[in-house]
Amino acid sequence: MTPAPTIETERLVLRGPVASDFDAIAAFYADPVRSIGFGGVLPRDQAWRWFASSIGHWHLHGYGFWTITMTGDDTPVGICGLWNPEGWPEPEMGWIVFDGYEGKGIAFEAATAVRSHAYFELGFTTLSSNIVPGNSRSVALAERLGATLERTYENINMGTEELYRHPSPESLA
């Protein structure tokens, strides 16, 4: 079993998911606007299955989604991590910032830390982010992170997505 390491940044703590994080995930999946980039609305029982599978992802791959909290406050403000379920074209980095926490640079700070961990701790040589067309906020964040649109493809779970390629580890070192 692979526990999630803790990553600390200037303002954030990225830690492994715990049972008490589920209500925040369920609220996210109940919101039709916010959840679209992660497959859309899920009833609470299916949101639980996604949450449980994301925890299992750590044990199967050695990486997954971290829960984002602010330093000194264990309240979940989002998730960010590495995801590669069956049928995905390659491991991707994804992010969510929960309602009320947008516009504070949280996603950028978390994604920068996760990407660094993927490259310099896990040895990834490339990384992508799959974004649903029209998700302008995620596109803006990917581009702020230096990622560029590589191609559009059909994701087996999500339908049409745009694959953004992140800069190589060498270009970030």
Side-chain angles (χ1 to χ4, degrees), residues 2 50-65 81-86 88 91-92:
T2 305
W50 183 90
F51 181 63
S53 73
S54 73
I55 294 169
H57 193 281
W58 277 101
H59 303 298
L60 294 170
H61 288 293
Y63 55 83
F65 280 103
L82 307 167
W83 187 243
N84 190 21
E86 178 61 31
W88 242 235
E92 75 157 315

Side-chain angles (χ1 to χ4, degrees), residues 104-109 112 115 138-147:
K104 301 174 191 300
I106 292 169
F108 179 78
E109 191 172 330
T112 300
R115 184 174 64 189
S138 278
V139 168
L141 177 55
E143 291 175 345
R144 184 173 174 213
L145 289 163

